[in-house]
Amino acid sequence: MDTLSLQDPVFATYVIAATLMILKAVSMSWLTVVRMMQVRGGFRSPEDLKRTPLNPAPDPRQLEPDERVERIRRIHLNDLENLPFFFAAGFLYVLTQPSLLLARLLLYGYVVSRLLHFAAYATARTHDTRATLWTVGSLIIIFMTCSTLLAALGYR
């Protein structure tokens, strides 16, 4: 079976996990905009204070940071810092032709850890909670990367 085909269940698992993470990351941009419109603030650029149909009564205070907006921005930044490693590690891991069960545990495990991390961050859980969920995802990436490296070196 061709490794890079949706007919390959391991590759299909990767594609599902990766697309879910892309949708999650893109949704953070939309959530930021929604939150900015809700609070009518948290804008970043001076030109955002121009009168427009979406901002009919500009106020200089709209450029002040708003914690509700900034929290979503931090979640988005965290995705932008972490997801590229998942995309690369997961894709390379698929090339090692791992067992379907292990691939599903790792790839979907990563997705679950990131969704739980989002929920913890969005609801202002402690750093310990967020760090634990981040660590799960990070360990999954490390495992896939080390497995890929060993396979490339001929040890698997």
Side-chain angles (χ1 to χ4, degrees), residues 117-131:
H117 181 271
F118 163 76
Y121 215 143
T123 58
R125 299 295 175 230
T126 65
H127 178 264
D128 294 357
T129 300
R130 292 190 327 268

Side-chain angles (χ1 to χ4, degrees), residues 10 98-106:
V10 171
S99 76
L100 179 58
L101 176 61
L102 184 57
R104 284 182 173 162
L105 286 172
L106 294 170

Side-chain angles (χ1 to χ4, degrees), residues 2-144:
D2 188 9
T3 301
L4 297 181
S5 162
L6 291 176
Q7 303 310 309
D8 175 17
V10 171
F11 184 66
T13 299
Y14 168 74
V15 169
I16 292 167
T19 55
L20 288 172
M21 291 294 85
I22 291 167
L23 289 170
K24 190 251 186 234
V26 169
S27 70
M28 292 298 96
S29 298
W30 286 94
L31 188 55
T32 301
V33 171
V34 167
R35 188 61 55 91
M36 287 168 49
M37 294 297 103
Q38 286 174 340
V39 303
R40 305 199 55 75
F43 303 151
R44 286 196 165 166
S45 302
E47 63 271 15
D48 296 341
L49 293 183
K50 292 181 180 178
R51 184 182 307 270
T52 68
L54 293 177
N55 193 12
D59 183 324
R61 291 176 293 180
Q62 290 176 314
L63 289 179
E64 295 173 4
D66 182 281
E67 174 54 25
R68 294 162 292 183
V69 174
E70 294 306 313
R71 178 168 299 279
I72 301 303
R73 283 190 174 124
R74 288 191 301 269
I75 294 169
H76 192 200
L77 181 60
N78 191 274
D79 281 343
L80 296 176
E81 292 169 347
N82 289 279
L83 293 182
F85 296 110
F86 169 70
F87 297 141
F91 181 77
L92 295 173
Y93 183 67
V94 166
L95 298 177
T96 69
Q97 298 180 321
S99 76
L100 179 58
L101 176 61
L102 184 57
R104 284 182 173 162
L105 286 172
L106 294 170
L107 296 167
Y108 293 152
Y110 185 84
V111 170
V112 169
S113 76
R114 292 304 299 172
L115 293 175
L116 291 174
H117 181 271
F118 163 76
Y121 215 143
T123 58
R125 299 295 175 230
T126 65
H127 178 264
D128 294 357
T129 300
R130 292 190 327 268
T132 299
L133 295 166
W134 175 87
T135 298
V136 169
S138 182
L139 290 173
I140 288 170
I141 289 173
I142 290 168
F143 179 87
M144 289 189 302

